[in-house]
Structures are given as structure tokens and as C-alpha cells.
Amino acid sequence: MNSSVNTCKGIPVFFSTDDNYAPYLDVAISSLIANASKAYNYRIIVLNTGLCPETISKLQKNERPGFAIDFIDISEALKDIKARLKNVYHFSIVTYYRLFIASLFPQYDKILYLDCDLVVLGD
């Protein structure tokens, strides 16, 4: 895991994605930045299991003062349980990543988890 996530201050906002949903995540992050309160700093944490460098580069272009973006590859953490995770109907395994936030990031008392296929309209 990225150690900078452990020492960050501000509001932690989690997303989970793969390369297929990255364009939607780009819109979600852009709308979050456009509509978030300027009174806070935000740490955007993108859970994934191996995004391609081009995807990461494109999403990092959203970084600006008050909005840092970290990409956390949780492949190792999922290794032991991945076989028990099933694709159910139209849900991919990425859908389950949110279930591991509390155990992987115990330093946070509260977090905000957002799906990557949304648009933020206000703070």
C-alpha cells in the first residue's frame, strides 16, 4: 500500500475501478472537484487490481491543490479470498473492493465511498 495514504489529512474519498470504468471515474472525480467544499482538503483513493499506466496518468491529471489522488493496488490483499468472490449478474469483482476498506485502512474513523459511475452535484 502507498504510505502517503497513511499520513494524509483531509477527507478520504474512496473509489474502486478497473480500466473499463476509468472513463466514468474520470467524470466522477472531475465533478467531485468542481463541487466539493473549498473548506477541506480531499484525499481521493482509487482501489484497483492493476490499472494500466495510461489510465493512471489520465486520472492523475485531475490532481490540483486540495485534491490528491492515490492509486492503491489491492491485489495482494485479495489474493487469499479472490477465489471466493463471484461475479454476480452484472456486478464485477471490483464491486466487492469497498468491503475491505475498513480492514485495509484502519487509520480512518470515517471515509466516503463513491461509485465511479456518478456525477457529484454539490458538497
Side-chain angles (χ1 to χ4, degrees):
M1 277 192 283
N2 187 333
S3 62
S4 68
V5 173
N6 294 330
T7 60
C8 77
K9 295 187 179 185
I11 298 173
V13 182
F14 282 79
F15 292 95
S16 55
T17 194
D18 57 20
D19 287 310
N20 295 321
Y21 268 79
Y24 305 108
L25 177 57
D26 193 34
V27 171
I29 291 173
S30 295
S31 68
L32 171 66
I33 291 169
N35 293 293
S37 170
K38 306 301 182 227
Y40 301 99
N41 289 316
Y42 299 85
R43 174 71 51 181
I44 299 169
I45 302 163
V46 180
L47 303 178
N48 67 88
T49 53
L51 293 174
C52 72
E54 295 82 15
T55 297
I56 291 172
S57 178
K58 180 171 170 72
L59 293 169
Q60 282 177 325
K61 290 179 182 176
N62 288 302
E63 282 190 317
R64 52 196 29 86
F67 296 90
I69 303 174
D70 287 317
F71 298 87
I72 309 297
D73 186 328
I74 61 170
S75 299
E76 194 64 33
L78 294 181
K79 194 176 354 180
D80 293 336
I81 60 167
K82 193 170 184 177
R84 291 182 280 165
L85 300 177
K86 305 278 189 236
N87 282 346
V88 178
Y89 304 106
H90 64 282
F91 300 111
S92 76
I93 291 176
V94 175
T95 305
Y96 295 103
Y97 296 173
R98 70 187 83 189
L99 301 176
F100 307 107
I101 293 171
S103 61
L104 295 174
F105 301 92
Q107 68 271 28
Y108 295 121
D109 293 328
K110 296 181 196 177
I111 64 103
L112 176 62
Y113 179 87
L114 298 174
D115 284 331
C116 60
D117 59 349
L118 60 79
V119 173
V120 177
L121 299 176
D123 68 357

